[in-house]
Amino acid sequence: MSEAKDGDLKALQAALAAEHAAVYGYGVVGGRIDEGHRTEARAAYDAHRARRDALARAVRDLGGTPVAAAAGYALPFAVPDSTAAVRLAAELEDRVAGVYSDLVRATDGERRRTAAEALREAAVRAVRWRGESVAFPGLTERTTATASATPTA
Protein backbone atom coordinates (compact mmCIF):
# COMPACT_ATOMS: atom_id res chain seq x y z
CA MET A 1 0.00 0.00 0.00
CA SER A 2 1.33 3.45 -0.89
CA GLU A 3 2.15 5.92 1.84
CA ALA A 4 -0.63 8.29 0.67
CA LYS A 5 -3.20 5.50 0.61
CA ASP A 6 -2.07 4.32 4.05
CA GLY A 7 -2.44 7.88 5.39
CA ASP A 8 -5.93 8.15 3.88
CA LEU A 9 -6.90 4.81 5.41
CA LYS A 10 -5.66 5.79 8.90
CA ALA A 11 -7.52 9.10 8.77
CA LEU A 12 -10.69 7.41 7.49
CA GLN A 13 -10.49 4.81 10.28
CA ALA A 14 -10.10 7.59 12.89
CA ALA A 15 -13.14 9.39 11.48
CA LEU A 16 -15.09 6.13 11.47
CA ALA A 17 -14.17 5.49 15.12
CA ALA A 18 -15.31 9.02 15.98
CA GLU A 19 -18.62 8.46 14.21
CA HIS A 20 -19.14 5.19 16.12
CA ALA A 21 -18.64 7.15 19.35
CA ALA A 22 -20.96 9.94 18.19
CA VAL A 23 -23.73 7.46 17.34
CA TYR A 24 -23.36 5.93 20.81
CA GLY A 25 -23.30 9.38 22.43
CA TYR A 26 -26.43 10.48 20.62
CA GLY A 27 -28.15 7.37 21.98
CA VAL A 28 -27.46 8.78 25.44
CA VAL A 29 -28.50 12.28 24.35
CA GLY A 30 -31.77 10.92 22.96
CA GLY A 31 -32.57 9.22 26.24
CA ARG A 32 -32.12 12.41 28.28
CA ILE A 33 -33.06 15.26 25.95
CA ASP A 34 -36.26 17.23 26.46
CA GLU A 35 -39.09 17.12 23.94
CA GLY A 36 -38.14 20.52 22.49
CA HIS A 37 -34.75 19.22 21.32
CA ARG A 38 -35.75 15.68 20.37
CA THR A 39 -36.14 16.36 16.62
CA GLU A 40 -32.74 18.03 16.43
CA ALA A 41 -31.13 15.15 18.35
CA ARG A 42 -32.74 12.59 16.06
CA ALA A 43 -31.54 14.45 12.96
CA ALA A 44 -27.98 14.55 14.33
CA TYR A 45 -28.13 10.85 15.21
CA ASP A 46 -29.27 10.02 11.69
CA ALA A 47 -26.57 12.23 10.15
CA HIS A 48 -23.85 10.50 12.16
CA ARG A 49 -25.17 7.06 11.23
CA ALA A 50 -25.09 8.03 7.55
CA ARG A 51 -21.53 9.39 7.85
CA ARG A 52 -20.49 6.24 9.72
CA ASP A 53 -21.85 4.02 6.97
CA ALA A 54 -20.19 6.10 4.23
CA LEU A 55 -16.85 5.97 6.04
CA ALA A 56 -17.10 2.19 6.41
CA ARG A 57 -17.63 1.95 2.64
CA ALA A 58 -14.66 4.26 1.99
CA VAL A 59 -12.42 2.12 4.20
CA ARG A 60 -13.51 -1.02 2.33
CA ASP A 61 -12.92 0.76 -1.01
CA LEU A 62 -9.29 1.28 0.05
CA GLY A 63 -8.97 -2.41 0.91
CA GLY A 64 -9.23 -1.98 4.67
CA THR A 65 -11.45 -3.58 7.26
CA PRO A 66 -13.60 -0.93 8.96
CA VAL A 67 -12.86 -0.45 12.64
CA ALA A 68 -15.68 -1.90 14.72
CA ALA A 69 -17.73 0.05 17.22
CA ALA A 70 -16.92 -0.53 20.87
CA ALA A 71 -19.54 -2.15 23.07
CA GLY A 72 -19.67 1.08 25.08
CA TYR A 73 -17.91 4.41 25.40
CA ALA A 74 -16.89 6.48 28.42
CA LEU A 75 -18.80 9.73 28.52
CA PRO A 76 -16.84 12.90 29.33
CA PHE A 77 -19.25 13.72 32.18
CA ALA A 78 -22.46 12.46 33.76
CA VAL A 79 -25.63 13.04 31.74
CA PRO A 80 -28.48 13.00 34.26
CA ASP A 81 -30.80 15.49 32.53
CA SER A 82 -31.60 17.44 29.39
CA THR A 83 -29.18 20.28 30.16
CA ALA A 84 -26.30 17.82 30.36
CA ALA A 85 -27.57 16.06 27.22
CA VAL A 86 -27.36 19.33 25.27
CA ARG A 87 -23.83 19.84 26.60
CA LEU A 88 -22.91 16.29 25.56
CA ALA A 89 -24.30 16.85 22.06
CA ALA A 90 -22.10 19.95 21.65
CA GLU A 91 -19.08 18.00 22.93
CA LEU A 92 -19.75 15.14 20.52
CA GLU A 93 -19.88 17.57 17.61
CA ASP A 94 -16.65 19.26 18.69
CA ARG A 95 -14.87 15.90 18.85
CA VAL A 96 -16.16 14.82 15.45
CA ALA A 97 -15.19 18.18 13.95
CA GLY A 98 -11.64 17.69 15.25
CA VAL A 99 -11.32 14.31 13.58
CA TYR A 100 -12.75 15.65 10.33
CA SER A 101 -10.23 18.50 10.37
CA ASP A 102 -7.54 15.79 10.47
CA LEU A 103 -9.23 14.00 7.57
CA VAL A 104 -9.29 17.23 5.54
CA ARG A 105 -5.56 17.59 6.15
CA ALA A 106 -4.79 13.94 5.28
CA THR A 107 -6.77 13.59 2.06
CA ASP A 108 -7.38 15.32 -1.23
CA GLY A 109 -9.94 15.43 -4.03
CA GLU A 110 -13.43 14.16 -3.34
CA ARG A 111 -12.49 12.72 0.07
CA ARG A 112 -11.23 16.13 1.19
CA ARG A 113 -14.43 17.82 -0.03
CA THR A 114 -16.55 15.26 1.81
CA ALA A 115 -14.47 15.66 4.98
CA ALA A 116 -14.75 19.47 4.78
CA GLU A 117 -18.52 19.14 4.40
CA ALA A 118 -18.69 16.84 7.44
CA LEU A 119 -16.52 19.29 9.42
CA ARG A 120 -18.85 22.15 8.50
CA GLU A 121 -21.95 20.15 9.44
CA ALA A 122 -20.48 19.18 12.82
CA ALA A 123 -19.46 22.78 13.51
CA VAL A 124 -22.96 24.05 12.67
CA ARG A 125 -24.57 21.43 14.92
CA ALA A 126 -22.16 22.34 17.74
CA VAL A 127 -23.15 26.00 17.43
CA ARG A 128 -26.83 25.08 17.52
CA TRP A 129 -26.36 22.98 20.65
CA ARG A 130 -24.03 25.41 22.39
CA GLY A 131 -25.61 28.65 21.27
CA GLU A 132 -22.24 30.14 20.35
CA SER A 133 -19.40 29.39 17.99
CA VAL A 134 -15.66 28.84 18.29
CA ALA A 135 -13.04 30.60 16.19
CA PHE A 136 -11.71 27.49 14.47
CA PRO A 137 -14.16 24.55 14.46
CA GLY A 138 -12.30 21.29 14.75
CA LEU A 139 -9.28 23.04 16.21
CA THR A 140 -10.66 23.88 19.66
CA GLU A 141 -7.55 22.61 21.44
CA ARG A 142 -5.42 25.03 19.44
CA THR A 143 -7.64 28.03 20.16
CA THR A 144 -7.64 27.15 23.87
CA ALA A 145 -3.83 26.81 23.90
CA THR A 146 -3.45 30.12 22.09
CA ALA A 147 -5.83 31.89 24.44
CA SER A 148 -3.98 30.63 27.54
CA ALA A 149 -0.62 31.60 26.02
CA THR A 150 -1.75 35.14 25.22
CA PRO A 151 -0.37 37.62 27.78
CA THR A 152 -2.84 39.84 29.59
CA ALA A 153 -2.29 43.40 30.67
Side-chain angles (χ1 to χ4, degrees), residues 31-71:
R32 301 285 193 276
I33 202 80
D34 62 48
E35 190 64 38
H37 290 98
R38 192 149 294 150
T39 300
E40 188 173 358
R42 180 61 182 194
Y45 175 77
D46 290 342
H48 286 291
R49 286 178 53 213
R51 290 277 180 201
R52 177 201 63 195
D53 296 346
L55 286 164
R57 280 190 302 276
V59 166
R60 282 191 296 274
D61 289 347
L62 284 177
T65 300
V67 65

Short mmCIF file of all heavy atoms in Angstrom, two decimals, residues 31-71:
data_model
loop_
_atom_site.label_atom_id
_atom_site.label_comp_id
_atom_site.label_asym_id
_atom_site.label_seq_id
_atom_site.Cartn_x
_atom_site.Cartn_y
_atom_site.Cartn_z
N GLY A 31 -31.89 9.72 25.05
CA GLY A 31 -32.57 9.22 26.24
C GLY A 31 -32.77 10.27 27.32
O GLY A 31 -33.56 10.06 28.25
N ARG A 32 -32.06 11.38 27.23
CA ARG A 32 -32.12 12.41 28.28
C ARG A 32 -32.66 13.75 27.81
O ARG A 32 -33.00 14.60 28.61
CB ARG A 32 -30.72 12.65 28.86
CG ARG A 32 -30.04 11.46 29.46
CD ARG A 32 -30.63 11.11 30.81
NE ARG A 32 -29.83 10.17 31.55
CZ ARG A 32 -29.88 8.86 31.40
NH1 ARG A 32 -30.67 8.33 30.49
NH2 ARG A 32 -29.14 8.06 32.12
N ILE A 33 -32.73 13.94 26.51
CA ILE A 33 -33.06 15.26 25.95
C ILE A 33 -34.55 15.57 26.13
O ILE A 33 -35.38 14.67 26.11
CB ILE A 33 -32.66 15.32 24.45
CG1 ILE A 33 -32.47 16.75 23.98
CG2 ILE A 33 -33.64 14.59 23.57
CD1 ILE A 33 -31.16 17.34 24.37
N ASP A 34 -34.86 16.84 26.31
CA ASP A 34 -36.26 17.23 26.46
C ASP A 34 -36.97 17.21 25.11
O ASP A 34 -36.34 17.16 24.05
CB ASP A 34 -36.39 18.61 27.12
CG ASP A 34 -35.75 19.73 26.31
OD1 ASP A 34 -36.01 19.82 25.09
OD2 ASP A 34 -35.01 20.53 26.90
N GLU A 35 -38.26 17.23 25.15
CA GLU A 35 -39.09 17.12 23.94
C GLU A 35 -38.76 18.21 22.92
O GLU A 35 -38.78 17.97 21.71
CB GLU A 35 -40.58 17.18 24.32
CG GLU A 35 -41.51 16.85 23.19
CD GLU A 35 -41.37 15.41 22.70
OE1 GLU A 35 -41.16 14.51 23.52
OE2 GLU A 35 -41.48 15.20 21.48
N GLY A 36 -38.43 19.40 23.38
CA GLY A 36 -38.14 20.52 22.49
C GLY A 36 -36.90 20.33 21.63
O GLY A 36 -36.76 20.96 20.59
N HIS A 37 -35.99 19.47 22.06
CA HIS A 37 -34.75 19.22 21.32
C HIS A 37 -34.71 17.84 20.66
O HIS A 37 -33.74 17.49 20.01
CB HIS A 37 -33.54 19.32 22.27
CG HIS A 37 -33.25 20.69 22.75
ND1 HIS A 37 -33.67 21.16 23.97
CD2 HIS A 37 -32.59 21.71 22.16
CE1 HIS A 37 -33.26 22.40 24.12
NE2 HIS A 37 -32.61 22.76 23.03
N ARG A 38 -35.76 17.06 20.84
CA ARG A 38 -35.75 15.68 20.37
C ARG A 38 -35.58 15.57 18.84
O ARG A 38 -34.83 14.73 18.36
CB ARG A 38 -37.02 14.97 20.82
CG ARG A 38 -36.90 13.49 20.62
CD ARG A 38 -37.66 12.68 21.60
NE ARG A 38 -37.10 12.86 22.94
CZ ARG A 38 -37.81 12.78 24.04
NH1 ARG A 38 -39.09 12.53 23.99
NH2 ARG A 38 -37.25 12.94 25.21
N THR A 39 -36.25 16.41 18.08
CA THR A 39 -36.14 16.36 16.62
C THR A 39 -34.72 16.66 16.16
O THR A 39 -34.18 15.97 15.29
CB THR A 39 -37.14 17.33 15.97
OG1 THR A 39 -38.46 16.96 16.36
CG2 THR A 39 -37.04 17.32 14.46
N GLU A 40 -34.11 17.67 16.78
CA GLU A 40 -32.74 18.03 16.43
C GLU A 40 -31.76 16.90 16.80
O GLU A 40 -30.84 16.58 16.03
CB GLU A 40 -32.34 19.32 17.15
CG GLU A 40 -31.02 19.88 16.74
CD GLU A 40 -30.74 21.24 17.36
OE1 GLU A 40 -31.58 21.78 18.09
OE2 GLU A 40 -29.64 21.75 17.11
N ALA A 41 -31.98 16.27 17.94
CA ALA A 41 -31.13 15.15 18.35
C ALA A 41 -31.28 13.97 17.40
O ALA A 41 -30.29 13.33 17.02
CB ALA A 41 -31.46 14.73 19.78
N ARG A 42 -32.50 13.70 16.99
CA ARG A 42 -32.74 12.59 16.06
C ARG A 42 -32.08 12.86 14.70
O ARG A 42 -31.49 11.97 14.09
CB ARG A 42 -34.25 12.37 15.88
CG ARG A 42 -34.61 11.26 14.95
CD ARG A 42 -34.07 9.96 15.44
NE ARG A 42 -34.38 8.91 14.49
CZ ARG A 42 -34.29 7.64 14.74
NH1 ARG A 42 -33.91 7.24 15.92
NH2 ARG A 42 -34.56 6.75 13.83
N ALA A 43 -32.17 14.09 14.23
CA ALA A 43 -31.54 14.45 12.96
C ALA A 43 -30.02 14.30 13.04
O ALA A 43 -29.38 13.79 12.10
CB ALA A 43 -31.90 15.88 12.57
N ALA A 44 -29.42 14.70 14.16
CA ALA A 44 -27.98 14.55 14.33
C ALA A 44 -27.59 13.08 14.40
O ALA A 44 -26.61 12.65 13.78
CB ALA A 44 -27.52 15.29 15.59
N TYR A 45 -28.37 12.30 15.12
CA TYR A 45 -28.13 10.85 15.21
C TYR A 45 -28.16 10.22 13.82
O TYR A 45 -27.25 9.47 13.45
CB TYR A 45 -29.20 10.23 16.12
CG TYR A 45 -29.17 8.73 16.23
CD1 TYR A 45 -28.22 8.09 17.01
CD2 TYR A 45 -30.12 7.95 15.56
CE1 TYR A 45 -28.20 6.70 17.12
CE2 TYR A 45 -30.10 6.57 15.67
CZ TYR A 45 -29.14 5.95 16.45
OH TYR A 45 -29.13 4.58 16.56
N ASP A 46 -29.16 10.55 13.05
CA ASP A 46 -29.27 10.02 11.69
C ASP A 46 -28.11 10.46 10.80
O ASP A 46 -27.58 9.68 10.00
CB ASP A 46 -30.60 10.42 11.06
CG ASP A 46 -31.80 9.72 11.69
OD1 ASP A 46 -31.61 8.68 12.37
OD2 ASP A 46 -32.93 10.22 11.50
N ALA A 47 -27.70 11.72 10.94
CA ALA A 47 -26.57 12.23 10.15
C ALA A 47 -25.29 11.48 10.48
O ALA A 47 -24.52 11.12 9.58
CB ALA A 47 -26.39 13.73 10.39
N HIS A 48 -25.06 11.22 11.76
CA HIS A 48 -23.85 10.50 12.16
C HIS A 48 -23.90 9.04 11.71
O HIS A 48 -22.87 8.49 11.32
CB HIS A 48 -23.61 10.62 13.66
CG HIS A 48 -23.12 11.97 14.05
ND1 HIS A 48 -21.87 12.43 13.71
CD2 HIS A 48 -23.73 12.98 14.71
CE1 HIS A 48 -21.73 13.67 14.16
NE2 HIS A 48 -22.84 14.02 14.77
N ARG A 49 -25.05 8.43 11.73
CA ARG A 49 -25.17 7.06 11.23
C ARG A 49 -24.86 7.01 9.74
O ARG A 49 -24.15 6.11 9.27
CB ARG A 49 -26.58 6.51 11.50
CG ARG A 49 -26.80 6.18 12.97
CD ARG A 49 -28.19 5.68 13.27
NE ARG A 49 -28.53 4.57 12.39
CZ ARG A 49 -29.75 4.32 11.95
NH1 ARG A 49 -30.76 5.10 12.29
NH2 ARG A 49 -30.00 3.28 11.18
N ALA A 50 -25.36 7.99 8.99
CA ALA A 50 -25.09 8.03 7.55
C ALA A 50 -23.60 8.25 7.28
O ALA A 50 -23.01 7.59 6.40
CB ALA A 50 -25.92 9.13 6.89
N ARG A 51 -22.97 9.15 8.01
CA ARG A 51 -21.53 9.39 7.85
C ARG A 51 -20.74 8.13 8.22
O ARG A 51 -19.78 7.76 7.55
CB ARG A 51 -21.06 10.56 8.71
CG ARG A 51 -21.54 11.90 8.25
CD ARG A 51 -20.68 12.44 7.16
NE ARG A 51 -21.19 13.74 6.74
CZ ARG A 51 -20.92 14.27 5.59
NH1 ARG A 51 -20.15 13.66 4.73
NH2 ARG A 51 -21.42 15.43 5.26
N ARG A 52 -21.14 7.48 9.30
CA ARG A 52 -20.49 6.24 9.72
C ARG A 52 -20.52 5.20 8.61
O ARG A 52 -19.51 4.59 8.27
CB ARG A 52 -21.18 5.72 10.98
CG ARG A 52 -20.63 4.38 11.48
CD ARG A 52 -21.61 3.67 12.36
NE ARG A 52 -22.82 3.35 11.60
CZ ARG A 52 -23.97 2.99 12.17
NH1 ARG A 52 -24.09 2.92 13.48
NH2 ARG A 52 -25.02 2.69 11.43
N ASP A 53 -21.70 5.02 8.03
CA ASP A 53 -21.85 4.02 6.97
C ASP A 53 -21.02 4.38 5.74
O ASP A 53 -20.41 3.51 5.12
CB ASP A 53 -23.32 3.86 6.61
CG ASP A 53 -24.15 3.30 7.77
OD1 ASP A 53 -23.56 2.78 8.75
OD2 ASP A 53 -25.39 3.38 7.69
N ALA A 54 -20.99 5.66 5.38
CA ALA A 54 -20.19 6.10 4.23
C ALA A 54 -18.70 5.91 4.49
O ALA A 54 -17.95 5.50 3.59
CB ALA A 54 -20.49 7.57 3.92
N LEU A 55 -18.26 6.17 5.71
CA LEU A 55 -16.85 5.97 6.04
C LEU A 55 -16.48 4.49 6.00
O LEU A 55 -15.39 4.14 5.53
CB LEU A 55 -16.54 6.56 7.42
CG LEU A 55 -16.48 8.08 7.46
CD1 LEU A 55 -16.57 8.57 8.89
CD2 LEU A 55 -15.22 8.59 6.79
N ALA A 56 -17.36 3.63 6.48
CA ALA A 56 -17.10 2.19 6.41
C ALA A 56 -16.93 1.75 4.96
O ALA A 56 -16.02 0.96 4.64
CB ALA A 56 -18.21 1.41 7.10
N ARG A 57 -17.76 2.28 4.07
CA ARG A 57 -17.63 1.95 2.64
C ARG A 57 -16.30 2.46 2.09
O ARG A 57 -15.62 1.77 1.32
CB ARG A 57 -18.79 2.55 1.84
CG ARG A 57 -20.07 1.74 1.92
CD ARG A 57 -21.12 2.24 0.94
NE ARG A 57 -21.48 3.63 1.11
CZ ARG A 57 -22.39 4.08 1.98
NH1 ARG A 57 -23.03 3.24 2.76
NH2 ARG A 57 -22.67 5.36 2.05
N ALA A 58 -15.92 3.67 2.48
CA ALA A 58 -14.66 4.26 1.99
C ALA A 58 -13.46 3.43 2.46
O ALA A 58 -12.51 3.22 1.69
CB ALA A 58 -14.53 5.70 2.46
N VAL A 59 -13.50 2.96 3.69
CA VAL A 59 -12.42 2.12 4.20
C VAL A 59 -12.34 0.82 3.38
O VAL A 59 -11.26 0.39 2.97
CB VAL A 59 -12.61 1.82 5.70
CG1 VAL A 59 -11.71 0.69 6.17
CG2 VAL A 59 -12.38 3.08 6.53
N ARG A 60 -13.49 0.21 3.14
CA ARG A 60 -13.51 -1.02 2.33
C ARG A 60 -13.01 -0.75 0.90
O ARG A 60 -12.29 -1.57 0.33
CB ARG A 60 -14.92 -1.62 2.30
CG ARG A 60 -15.27 -2.37 3.58
CD ARG A 60 -16.54 -3.18 3.44
NE ARG A 60 -17.72 -2.37 3.21
CZ ARG A 60 -18.46 -1.81 4.18
NH1 ARG A 60 -18.14 -1.98 5.43
NH2 ARG A 60 -19.52 -1.09 3.86
N ASP A 61 -13.37 0.40 0.34
CA ASP A 61 -12.92 0.76 -1.01
C ASP A 61 -11.40 0.85 -1.10
O ASP A 61 -10.82 0.62 -2.16
CB ASP A 61 -13.54 2.09 -1.46
CG ASP A 61 -15.03 1.98 -1.76
OD1 ASP A 61 -15.55 0.85 -1.85
OD2 ASP A 61 -15.67 3.05 -1.88
N LEU A 62 -10.75 1.20 0.03
CA LEU A 62 -9.29 1.28 0.05
C LEU A 62 -8.66 -0.06 0.42
O LEU A 62 -7.44 -0.15 0.60
CB LEU A 62 -8.83 2.36 1.03
CG LEU A 62 -8.98 3.80 0.56
CD1 LEU A 62 -8.56 4.77 1.65
CD2 LEU A 62 -8.17 4.04 -0.70
N GLY A 63 -9.49 -1.09 0.59
CA GLY A 63 -8.97 -2.41 0.91
C GLY A 63 -8.82 -2.68 2.39
O GLY A 63 -8.25 -3.70 2.77
N GLY A 64 -9.34 -1.80 3.22
CA GLY A 64 -9.23 -1.98 4.67
C GLY A 64 -10.46 -2.65 5.25
O GLY A 64 -11.48 -2.81 4.58
N THR A 65 -10.33 -3.04 6.50
CA THR A 65 -11.45 -3.58 7.26
C THR A 65 -11.90 -2.48 8.22
O THR A 65 -11.11 -2.04 9.06
CB THR A 65 -11.02 -4.83 8.06
OG1 THR A 65 -10.56 -5.81 7.14
CG2 THR A 65 -12.17 -5.38 8.87
N PRO A 66 -13.14 -2.03 8.10
CA PRO A 66 -13.60 -0.93 8.96
C PRO A 66 -13.47 -1.26 10.44
O PRO A 66 -13.78 -2.37 10.87
CB PRO A 66 -15.08 -0.77 8.57
CG PRO A 66 -15.17 -1.33 7.20
CD PRO A 66 -14.17 -2.47 7.16
N VAL A 67 -12.96 -0.30 11.19
CA VAL A 67 -12.86 -0.45 12.64
C VAL A 67 -14.27 -0.66 13.21
O VAL A 67 -15.22 -0.01 12.77
CB VAL A 67 -12.15 0.77 13.27
CG1 VAL A 67 -12.94 2.04 13.10
CG2 VAL A 67 -11.87 0.53 14.73
N ALA A 68 -14.38 -1.59 14.13
CA ALA A 68 -15.68 -1.90 14.72
C ALA A 68 -16.01 -0.93 15.85
O ALA A 68 -15.11 -0.35 16.48
CB ALA A 68 -15.67 -3.32 15.27
N ALA A 69 -17.28 -0.77 16.08
CA ALA A 69 -17.73 0.05 17.22
C ALA A 69 -17.42 -0.69 18.51
O ALA A 69 -17.45 -1.92 18.56
CB ALA A 69 -19.22 0.32 17.12
N ALA A 70 -17.12 0.05 19.54
CA ALA A 70 -16.92 -0.53 20.87
C ALA A 70 -18.29 -0.89 21.44
O ALA A 70 -19.32 -0.35 21.02
CB ALA A 70 -16.21 0.46 21.78
N ALA A 71 -18.29 -1.77 22.42
CA ALA A 71 -19.54 -2.15 23.07
C ALA A 71 -20.11 -0.98 23.86
O ALA A 71 -21.33 -0.85 24.01
CB ALA A 71 -19.31 -3.34 23.99
#
